[in-house]
Amino acid sequence: MWRRRMSSSSSSSPSLLHLALCCVTTLFALHFSAAAKPPKVGFGYRLVSIEESTNGGGLIGYLQVKQSTSTYGPDIPHLRLFVKHETQDRLRVHITDAEEQRWEVPYDLLPRDQPPPPGAKASSSPFTASEYAGGDLIFSFTSDPFTFAVRRKSNGQTLFDSSYGTMVFKDQYLEISTHLPKTAALYGLGENTQPGGIRLRPNDPYTLYTTDISAINLNTDLYGSHPVYMDLRNEGGEATAHAVLLLNSNGMDVFYTGSSLTYKVIGGVLDFFFFAGPSPLAVVDQYTTLIGRPAPMPYWALGFHQCRWGYQNLSVVEGVVEGYRNAQIPLDVIWNDDDHMDAAKDFTLDPVNYHRPKLLEFLDRIHSRGMKYIVLIDPGIAVNSSYGVFQRGMAKNVFIKYEGKPYLAQVWPGPVYFPDYLNPDGVSWWIDEIARFHEMVPVDGLWIDMNEASNFCTGKCELPTNHSCPIPGSTTPWVCCLDCKNLTDTRWDDPPYKINASGSRAPLGFKTIATSATHYNGILEYNAHSLYGFSQAIATHKALQGLQGKRPFILSRSTFVGSGAYAAHWTGDNKGTWDDLRYSISTMLNFGLFGMPMVGSDICGFYPAPTEELCNRWIELGAFYPFSRDHANFASPRQELYQWASVAESARNALGLRYKLLPYLYTLNYEAHTTGAPMARPVFFSFPNFTSSYGLSTQFLLGASVMVSPVLKKAATSVKAMFPPGTWYSLFDMTKAVVSQDDRFVTLDAPLNAVNAHVYQNTILPLQRGGTNSKEARTTPFTLVVAFPFGATQGDAKGSVYVDDDERPEMKLAEGEASFIEFYATVSGSTVKVWSEVEMGAFSLEKGLLIEKVCVLGLQGNGQGLVVEVDGEPWADAAGAHFTESHAVMHQAKLEGGGSKRTSMIVEVGGLSLPLGKTFSMTWKMGIKE
């Protein structure tokens, strides 16, 4: 909630909160590692019977508690076990009450196969084996006590083994553990800010419960809940990866010691999914097959975005747009926080500061340039009898209830009710309100914030009788002004086991919806809390898709398993510090694992004032976030990238490269949507056997082969970077290359306005000329950068590009609407060949997309006269090709980072006019000394 909860007079508060929570977090970790053995919570279960469905429907077993205890409540006496190999590479293990239905993540919210209901009878036969094998995984079990294990069929490696601890299953407390080899590298379990980097650290606390607490708080439950981890192991020099998802929306603590992992969950069921991998990319492919592929993004969303809380009127916004234009810094999207609203009420306009006719004139102007406009909406609906949105919501009975009445809370407009997105009427009402607003203001996307949900008050509240709320003229609207009392008299508000909420074991209902409040059909907030932002994103996606008939863009702060199928994410309220700059990489990479590849952090920091140097370095990193946006708090000084001359220069350099890379980024977006592959990836995704990269959190890859190595330290003029073995060419100066043979760090020059980005050998990278917005950039001719190993006389390279009409809701190949082109290249002795294969080229041909240059890196020798052929014909006479100012340029590349003085040849074949949508083949012979 620190987003927009501060004023300049309270700027010290976040630091105090940070200190307090860090202390609590440290104590939590020390307590766990050093405390005496806790009292016995449970004695486990024994397997009574197990049968196999005769129609391939899996195993069904029944468990009985061995001995009950009263700690955290009575044990559920009888459990039902359901095991099924759902695919060749996915195994499900589902454990629930054998007699009564329990809360699960709703199947209509996250579609998946349903296990048989409790007590269901099916055709089956006794299962007498101790193992149940599928395609890639094997399930095994012991009967008394009941434990289970999951092994990899190919090498017998145990991936999960519950015999490490005792399984406990109570109404409000579930516990299960697994043994882990100490060499396993684990990733995931978020959302949190991990100061140690992407690799999980033993004995750090991992609590999952969606919470509005600033991202400056380390190792603390933040805005999203993603109970999934990836396990990467390297045995005998061969890496394998798998993932484990516990699909459960209830609050939980996860304890990772290095040799074990224990879940302690306060409700729901044990619904495990195991994904066999064996590569990291295969893991996210399998994971997103279950939870939903990442949403396709419109092309413009990959451009640069500018926002600020505090653009107090339209003229300020107009000035920002012109400021970027005058500075020649690329800008695609301008945003409004809540400044456009009338008294912070959703779906309204300030009649003075954002006068509708003037706003519409502004939107016509920027839309004609290809720019876009996005505004914020919060879920809290102002309690105001003259407010149409509120009136219609009350008429349709769409708000979350407490004791039969709408639950009263407080957010920016003052007293609010929260819509229930689990209620079909709530969804239809929300869709209608978005349609009404869009008719008033043709926004291009929506930003859904404060949806954990955030509440400035706690407990059961009523409107005050002795003062106004909101308080007129208040400079601290985040201070609760309702009359409230804490709720501790129900087991939902005060559960027997206290998760480490907010890093301080805070009550579950602290500054959010009371956990004893109810949703549609009596669903408890206690169970559904962490689904609130997810359900809002689904409803918002339905609204935009149905309304515009275009590809929606939604940015959500709160997320859950599957949110990536509907929305992008930013990492919340960060600070303008060097630490926060560094932390942003790990959080970004984690969300790629979570199936949310469109992610980024507030560039230059949300608050307080960043230094000029920091902002230089942040745009040099942030230009390569998948979602690249500058955003700041109203109390901070203005920090648009043109405010400092040096930052403007860094922005032109870094964003200049981003806009040249847009076809590559958009192809990564397509790859993410079709395979789940993250756009920004840990280095081990492409180099899983490069064990030194397992904890590398200061560099990352865009796609498979573009390495970003940012400066993350104050006053640095160089950066130490690690490169997996092979050749890496600088994208800012392709005459420079790094040839790595091991895991030693290489020192790269990094003056203030420069960032290091390299492309890996064996890659063909599609670039365009760039521009000041994506509409302009995407029509420019292509250059193909072909990267061979340094000094190669034998080698190959490949790449691809996807282009389409990004207005279409679906992102798929369809004749006349999209094209997919694969590029290939080989060098063999003195012969170089570059060619393409085109799938559905009509769209590219219609758009007139052309290749103007082919740049080949890494060739050996000094190069003599070139004889270039295109499609088997001499260059100048090539059938179907049109050339202007035909030329081929040869020059030398040199190594970066010291060491060898070897050189290689770069060949640029320019002046081309090859249609992107038509196959081509280009060859030449060089006088290369072998």
Side-chain angles (χ1 to χ4, degrees):
M1 192 187 299
W2 286 110
R3 191 197 78 76
R4 303 180 303 164
R5 198 196 289 175
M6 303 172 300
S7 68
S8 56
S9 62
S10 63
S11 59
S12 63
S13 299
S15 299
L16 294 174
L17 177 64
H18 182 193
L19 177 63
L21 290 177
C22 285
C23 291
V24 171
T25 296
T26 302
L27 290 172
F28 179 73
L30 292 173
H31 171 79
F32 174 74
S33 60
K37 189 174 181 179
K40 195 74 172 175
V41 178
F43 290 88
Y45 288 77
R46 65 182 181 87
L47 182 67
V48 176
S49 66
I50 188 166
E51 296 186 339
E52 181 176 10
S53 172
T54 55
N55 62 1
L59 303 180
I60 295 180
Y62 290 91
L63 312 176
Q64 181 174 320
V65 70
K66 290 172 66 68
Q67 179 181 335
S68 188
T69 74
S70 60
T71 306
Y72 303 141
D75 298 83
I76 293 178
H78 303 104
L79 302 179
R80 200 277 310 278
L81 166 72
F82 174 69
V83 182
K84 186 177 181 180
H85 292 280
E86 295 192 326
T87 69
Q88 287 290 102
D89 43 42
R90 184 175 81 227
L91 169 69
R92 185 180 191 180
V93 178
H94 182 278
I95 302 174
T96 188
D97 191 327
E99 295 164 355
E100 295 185 15
Q101 197 81 31
R102 287 184 60 80
W103 165 257
E104 299 186 47
V105 175
Y107 283 82
D108 58 347
L109 210 61
L110 187 66
R112 60 203 187 277
D113 292 340
Q114 294 198 40
K121 300 296 182 182
S123 177
S124 60
S125 59
F127 185 77
T128 56
S130 60
E131 294 185 346
Y132 179 52
D136 295 334
L137 299 173
I138 298 172
F139 173 85
S140 62
F141 60 92
T142 62
S143 297
D144 192 4
F146 169 75
T147 66
F148 73 89
V150 178
R151 301 199 317 276
R152 190 183 298 281
K153 183 183 287 186
S154 61
N155 60 10
Q157 192 176 74
T158 299
L159 310 185
F160 193 94
D161 180 3
S162 74
S163 67
Y164 178 83
T166 300
M167 187 178 80
V168 180
F169 204 118
K170 301 168 184 280
D171 188 31
Q172 289 183 267
Y173 183 81
L174 284 62
E175 180 179 328
I176 193 168
S177 302
T178 180
H179 173 73
L180 291 169
K182 290 187 176 180
T183 54
L186 266 60
Y187 310 88
L189 297 178
E191 176 180 11
N192 57 23
T193 300
Q194 298 172 192
I198 54 173
R199 184 171 178 174
L200 301 186
R201 295 192 305 193
N203 300 322
D204 274 358
Y206 299 98
T207 298
L208 281 69
Y209 187 74
T210 61
T211 306
D212 175 9
I213 187 172
S214 171
I216 67 173
N217 294 287
L218 309 181
N219 294 321
T220 304
D221 49 307
L222 296 179
Y223 314 107
S225 175
H226 295 270
V228 61
Y229 68 86
M230 179 185 290
D231 181 334
L232 178 62
R233 305 178 187 180
N234 192 297
E235 296 183 2
E238 188 64 31
T240 56
H242 69 276
V244 179
L245 166 67
L246 173 56
L247 186 55
N248 186 302
S249 63
N250 290 84
M252 67 180 77
D253 289 329
V254 184
F255 297 86
Y256 170 52
T257 68
S259 59
S260 68
L261 186 142
T262 298
Y263 299 90
K264 297 185 178 183
V265 193
I266 60 172
V269 300
L270 296 176
D271 194 3
F272 282 104
F273 293 85
F274 300 91
F275 305 91
S279 69
L281 276 177
V283 166
V284 291
D285 186 0
Q286 295 152 15
Y287 181 59
T288 56
T289 296
L290 173 70
I291 69 167
R293 295 297 197 196
M297 293 292 140
Y299 201 92
W300 53 261
L302 297 172
F304 184 68
H305 303 243
Q306 177 61 51
C307 184
R308 176 181 171 81
W309 177 31
Y311 289 151
Q312 296 178 336
N313 57 56
L314 181 58
S315 63
V316 176
V317 176
E318 292 174 317
V320 171
V321 171
E322 292 309 305
Y324 273 91
R325 196 177 193 194
N326 294 335
Q328 288 295 292
I329 300 172
L331 179 65
D332 260 83
V333 190
I334 186 71
W335 295 56
N336 266 126
D337 203 299
D338 65 2
D339 301 291
H340 68 286
M341 297 180 184
D342 179 15
K345 299 193 297 292
D346 279 349
F347 309 120
T348 64
L349 286 178
D350 184 315
V352 175
N353 294 317
Y354 284 84
H355 188 48
R356 182 169 177 257
K358 291 184 177 179
L359 178 59
L360 293 180
E361 288 177 9
F362 168 70
L363 295 185
D364 284 343
R365 190 161 60 251
I366 67 168
H367 283 155
S368 69
R369 299 178 190 171
M371 291 183 61
K372 307 296 179 181
Y373 178 61
I374 294 175
V375 299
L376 173 141
I377 48 175
D378 289 332
I381 300 300
V383 178
N384 185 325
S385 60
S386 64
Y387 174 36
V389 178
F390 171 78
Q391 294 170 345
R392 292 184 289 272
M394 289 297 290
K396 292 197 173 185
N397 194 28
V398 301
F399 297 113
I400 292 171
K401 302 291 193 298
Y402 184 82
E403 295 180 341
K405 298 179 181 179
Y407 176 77
L408 184 65
Q410 180 186 331
V411 200
W412 298 110
V416 299
Y417 294 157
F418 288 115
D420 180 4
Y421 300 104
L422 300 181
N423 183 342
D425 289 340
V427 172
S428 62
W429 163 82
W430 186 252
I431 291 172
D432 179 62
E433 295 301 337
I434 289 176
R436 290 169 182 266
F437 180 64
H438 190 269
E439 186 173 341
M440 179 169 62
V441 185
V443 296
D444 300 289
L446 288 173
W447 172 16
I448 51 176
D449 192 11
M450 308 287 283
N451 52 352
E452 293 73 29
S454 178
N455 183 0
F456 297 164
C457 302
T458 299
K460 180 182 178 181
C461 301
E462 296 179 351
L463 292 172
T465 57
N466 58 355
H467 65 268
S468 297
C469 184
I471 299 170
S474 172
T475 58
T476 56
W478 51 85
V479 174
C480 182
C481 56
L482 298 174
D483 289 340
C484 304
K485 67 174 184 178
N486 289 330
L487 295 171
T488 59
D489 55 348
T490 77
R491 62 191 182 106
W492 313 116
D493 297 300
D494 187 26
Y497 176 77
K498 309 296 189 291
I499 64 170
N500 193 38
S502 299
S504 59
R505 300 193 182 276
L508 294 179
F510 179 69
K511 296 298 179 73
T512 187
I513 300 169
T515 44
S516 53
T518 55
H519 294 252
Y520 179 69
N521 273 351
I523 294 171
L524 282 166
E525 169 70 9
Y526 178 88
N527 291 319
H529 171 82
S530 290
L531 299 176
Y532 194 74
F534 179 36
S535 61
Q536 186 192 20
I538 294 173
T540 306
H541 189 272
K542 287 180 181 177
L544 291 182
Q545 195 167 53
L547 170 70
Q548 298 174 314
K550 297 180 181 179
R551 193 172 298 171
F553 179 84
I554 299 162
L555 185 71
S556 180
R557 190 169 72 177
S558 185
T559 63
F560 186 72
V561 175
S563 286
Y566 305 95
H569 176 64
W570 93 108
T571 63
D573 300 351
N574 59 1
K575 289 184 74 173
T577 71
W578 293 93
D579 282 342
D580 285 72
L581 174 68
R582 176 170 55 87
Y583 300 154
S584 72
I585 296 177
S586 297
T587 307
M588 171 185 68
L589 296 179
N590 268 332
F591 270 88
L593 303 182
F594 298 153
M596 293 199 76
M598 190 63 171
V599 60
S601 296
D602 287 346
I603 292 171
C604 298
F606 181 61
Y607 75 99
T611 65
E612 181 176 349
E613 181 193 3
L614 176 63
C615 208
N616 270 279
R617 295 309 191 184
W618 211 317
I619 186 54
E620 291 167 5
L621 166 59
F624 302 100
Y625 293 153
F627 173 62
S628 183
R629 185 183 72 158
D630 182 316
H631 180 45
N633 182 286
F634 77 96
S636 301
R638 295 280 291 273
Q639 64 183 46
E640 293 84 8
L641 302 179
Y642 57 79
Q643 296 289 345
W644 302 271
S646 69
V647 176
E649 182 179 348
S650 294
R652 284 188 291 268
N653 290 340
L655 290 173
L657 179 57
R658 181 187 182 93
Y659 274 65
K660 292 177 182 176
L661 284 167
L662 282 178
Y664 178 67
L665 294 175
Y666 194 64
T667 303
L668 295 181
N669 179 21
Y670 174 69
E671 185 181 349
H673 180 58
T674 53
T675 71
M679 297 171 68
R681 308 173 188 177
V683 173
F684 66 74
F685 261 63
S686 289
F687 304 92
N689 289 322
F690 189 57
T691 56
S692 297
S693 71
Y694 286 9
L696 185 59
S697 305
T698 53
Q699 297 167 254
F700 60 94
L701 293 173
L702 287 174
S705 54
V706 172
M707 176 83 83
V708 181
S709 307
V711 171
L712 302 173
K713 295 181 179 179
K714 183 178 180 180
T717 57
S718 63
V719 62
K720 292 185 180 297
M722 182 187 294
F723 292 90
T727 306
W728 298 82
Y729 296 94
S730 169
L731 285 173
F732 283 97
D733 182 354
M734 294 181 193
T735 66
K736 296 180 179 179
V738 172
V739 177
S740 175
Q741 297 177 339
D742 50 36
D743 62 354
R744 284 179 290 186
F745 284 89
V746 176
T747 300
L748 304 173
D749 289 338
L752 182 63
N753 301 123
V755 62
N756 281 279
H758 292 76
V759 62
Y760 187 58
Q761 67 184 40
N762 310 325
T763 300
I764 300 180
L765 189 65
L767 303 177
Q768 286 176 283
R769 291 182 183 176
T772 55
N773 65 43
S774 63
K775 179 182 179 181
E776 171 188 326
R778 71 181 305 189
T779 61
T780 61
F782 283 79
T783 292
L784 302 182
V785 176
V786 181
F788 288 124
F790 194 87
T793 57
Q794 298 290 329
D796 56 68
K798 62 181 180 179
S800 61
V801 67
Y802 172 86
V803 293
D804 72 355
D805 174 8
D806 70 317
E807 296 287 287
R808 291 185 304 122
E810 294 185 344
M811 188 183 222
K812 65 179 182 180
L813 275 174
E815 193 61 72
E817 296 179 348
S819 300
F820 185 71
I821 299 93
E822 294 180 290
F823 304 107
Y824 300 91
T826 60
V827 56
S828 180
S830 62
T831 301
V832 179
K833 181 179 180 181
V834 182
W835 73 99
S836 70
E837 295 180 2
V838 177
E839 191 172 354
M840 299 188 181
F843 175 81
S844 295
L845 293 172
E846 178 192 344
K847 296 297 181 183
L849 299 175
L850 300 173
I851 299 168
E852 67 174 348
K853 184 189 294 185
V854 175
C855 180
V856 183
L857 314 179
L859 299 174
Q860 186 180 9
N862 56 10
Q864 298 174 1
L866 302 182
V867 179
V868 179
E869 293 183 351
V870 177
D871 295 333
E873 300 291 335
W875 184 0
D877 299 319
H882 305 281
F883 303 101
T884 59
E885 201 177 347
S886 300
H887 61 279
V889 179
M890 296 175 289
H891 48 86
Q892 292 182 331
K894 58 186 178 181
L895 297 181
E896 288 188 274
S900 171
K901 298 299 183 182
R902 295 160 50 207
T903 61
S904 75
M905 183 66 63
I906 298 174
V907 176
E908 291 183 354
V909 181
L912 302 173
S913 190
L914 302 174
L916 183 69
K918 182 181 178 182
T919 59
F920 75 89
S921 177
M922 175 185 296
T923 61
W924 66 80
K925 290 184 179 294
M926 299 178 60
I928 296 177
K929 295 179 180 180
E930 300 188 36

